[in-house]
Amino acid sequence: MANIKYALREVRKHPGKYFPIYAQIIVSVILVAFIAVNFQQVHEFSAKMSACTEHRNMYAVIDRSDVVTIMNTLNMDGAEEKCKELYDYTNECVDVYVHMINMVRWNGMDIEVLQMNQNFYDLYQIDIQQGRTFNSAEWEGQIEDGQEIPVLVGKKLAKVYPIGTTFVNEALDKSTFKVVGILNDQAFYLNPSVNSKTISLDSTFIIPWIPRDALNNGYRNVNLFHVLQLETDNPEVLNKIAEKSKELGLFDLEFTSFREQIGVVKMYYQKVYSRDCAMLGVLLLYCIVGSITMLLQYIDTHMKYNSIHILCGATQQQMGLQMLIHILIPILMGLVFVMAIFKSIFAMIVGILFGMVLLFIILIIPLLKWNRMELSQIFKRYE
């Protein structure tokens, strides 16, 4: 404890000397954890996308129209009928996987509800651990006005919204919802047209997709065509869907293969890793050189301090421990930031391993110099 006390006192006495080095070490630890978390996310995303589409030729829909054009299209006269016609045509040509997020209001709170069809539910192998899933009629959206809409909740929501909980949408059509099942732990889905992250369902409300204008704007819902996922063994059919959309005066649609998207994601993150690693390399260069220089100066400028403590019974190893503490402090601070920012055990483990390596690299030269000094040299230099 005395070594920690003396080390902290030294930092407080000379903050201008320690702060730049400490800042570099802390940022280095955070940056390494950031790179590790991104790598883990991309690997997990690619693995799950490959697993889900191993026996399926999946495509994501991309609309090249600008936002203003999209909104004007959805609000024009006859938009509902045209959008329904495009959806029906798409559903005839390919297998359609629907999911969209809408807001409902309950007890003054806005709640995100994820709507999906059975194809989407089966694609990502979503299942329940308690209660029931939706029946055939519910999956088909055959739920009349005034009839309770079934809800599945993620595991983290189960304590607050147990099976049997009902709530009324205070906005729009005043629909009544009832929780009928609890999802398995770590349920997820992917949305490659939007991002390359694995989207957890642990804190999600799920209902079957019901194309009802009063509930979700029906077929005019802005999220319907822009997050569709399609399955087909004939890519030429996709061109026909795009042509049909233009013929109806709706969207400028394009389609990207899930398998191609995996390659795009990997290539993008290779560039990101190269950039981040270059930044980390430059930062570490300054950090390591600066830290070693600081500790060598610490040895030279603290001969009086060290001599007194050795005369009082301290050993050279104990004095060397203070140098270790000087570098350990910012590493530990960096690890605290890593846990607070990323909330990931994997990031924490990578941060700890990096911290140990960094600690060794920075300390090896100063400690070798200090431990090789004879006591007579220390007292002579003090005199």
Side-chain angles (χ1 to χ4, degrees), residues 26-36 276-277 279-280 283 342:
I26 292 171
V27 172
S28 297
V29 174
I30 295 173
L31 186 55
V32 165
F34 173 76
I35 293 173
D276 291 346
C277 288
M279 291 172 53
L280 179 63
L283 188 62
F342 301 108

Side-chain angles (χ1 to χ4, degrees), residues 72-132:
N72 289 338
T73 299
L74 293 173
N75 290 312
M76 68 182 180
D77 293 337
E80 174 74 11
E81 292 76 15
K82 290 182 178 181
C83 288
K84 185 178 185 305
E85 183 178 348
L86 177 60
Y87 177 83
D88 290 340
Y89 180 81
T90 303
N91 200 33
E92 291 174 3
C93 296
V94 298
D95 291 328
V96 176
Y97 297 74
V98 177
H99 77 287
M100 63 176 72
I101 293 176
N102 284 102
M103 303 297 294
V104 300
R105 191 166 183 81
W106 180 50
N107 284 347
M109 297 185 300
D110 289 324
I111 298 176
E112 285 189 348
V113 173
L114 175 63
Q115 300 183 66
M116 63 176 65
N117 67 355
Q118 188 170 7
N119 282 348
F120 192 86
Y121 183 90
D122 293 339
L123 173 64
Y124 294 106
Q125 301 173 15
I126 303 169
D127 205 354
I128 58 171
Q129 65 177 14
Q130 188 177 347
R132 70 171 181 88

Side-chain angles (χ1 to χ4, degrees), residues 146-361:
Q147 186 179 349
E148 291 178 340
I149 298 174
V151 181
L152 304 178
V153 298
K155 187 176 181 181
K156 291 182 179 179
L157 295 174
K159 292 182 180 179
V160 181
Y161 303 95
I163 293 175
T165 302
T166 60
F167 54 93
V168 177
N169 185 10
E170 297 170 356
L172 301 175
D173 66 344
K174 312 299 181 184
S175 300
T176 301
F177 300 85
K178 183 176 182 179
V179 177
V180 299
I182 299 171
L183 299 176
N184 277 340
D185 191 20
Q186 297 182 342
F188 72 95
Y189 73 97
L190 307 174
N191 193 4
S193 61
V194 176
N195 58 43
S196 56
K197 295 181 179 179
T198 301
I199 304 170
S200 172
L201 294 174
D202 289 345
S203 300
T204 303
F205 296 87
I206 296 178
I207 65 173
W209 179 55
I210 309 167
R212 185 187 298 170
D213 190 63
L215 174 65
N216 54 21
N217 293 323
Y219 293 94
R220 291 188 304 112
N221 190 299
V222 67
N223 293 320
L224 176 57
F225 289 99
H226 299 88
V227 293
L228 274 183
Q229 298 178 10
L230 311 177
E231 179 185 357
T232 179
D233 294 326
N234 182 11
E236 293 181 4
V237 173
L238 301 176
N239 295 329
K240 294 181 180 179
I241 295 172
E243 291 172 5
K244 182 68 173 179
S245 179
K246 290 180 180 179
E247 177 188 316
L248 292 170
L250 294 174
F251 316 110
D252 183 12
L253 300 182
E254 292 183 3
F255 306 91
T256 178
S257 166
F258 275 29
R259 291 170 184 170
E260 292 176 0
Q261 192 69 9
I262 293 174
V264 170
V265 168
K266 288 182 177 178
M267 185 177 299
Y268 169 76
Y269 276 97
Q270 282 177 357
K271 294 179 181 178
V272 172
Y273 295 146
S274 298
R275 180 200 65 195
D276 291 346
C277 288
M279 291 172 53
L280 179 63
V282 173
L283 188 62
L284 284 177
L285 180 62
Y286 282 100
C287 171
I288 292 171
V289 172
S291 299
I292 292 174
T293 304
M294 179 189 73
L295 292 177
L296 292 176
Q297 290 175 346
Y298 177 84
I299 294 173
D300 291 334
T301 57
H302 284 68
M303 284 301 169
K304 177 180 179 181
Y305 169 85
N306 295 333
S307 300
I308 293 172
H309 279 78
I310 289 173
L311 286 172
C312 294
T315 65
Q316 280 184 267
Q317 287 73 23
Q318 288 175 321
M319 305 309 298
L321 182 61
Q322 291 187 27
M323 288 188 283
L324 183 147
I325 293 170
H326 281 312
I327 304 302
L328 190 59
I329 290 171
I331 291 176
L332 293 176
M333 291 173 66
L335 292 175
V336 170
F337 281 115
V338 165
M339 182 54 72
I341 295 171
F342 301 108
K343 298 179 176 63
S344 166
I345 299 299
F346 178 72
M348 196 68 176
I349 292 173
V350 172
I352 291 172
L353 293 175
F354 172 76
M356 292 170 63
V357 173
L358 185 61
L359 192 66
F360 174 78
I361 294 173

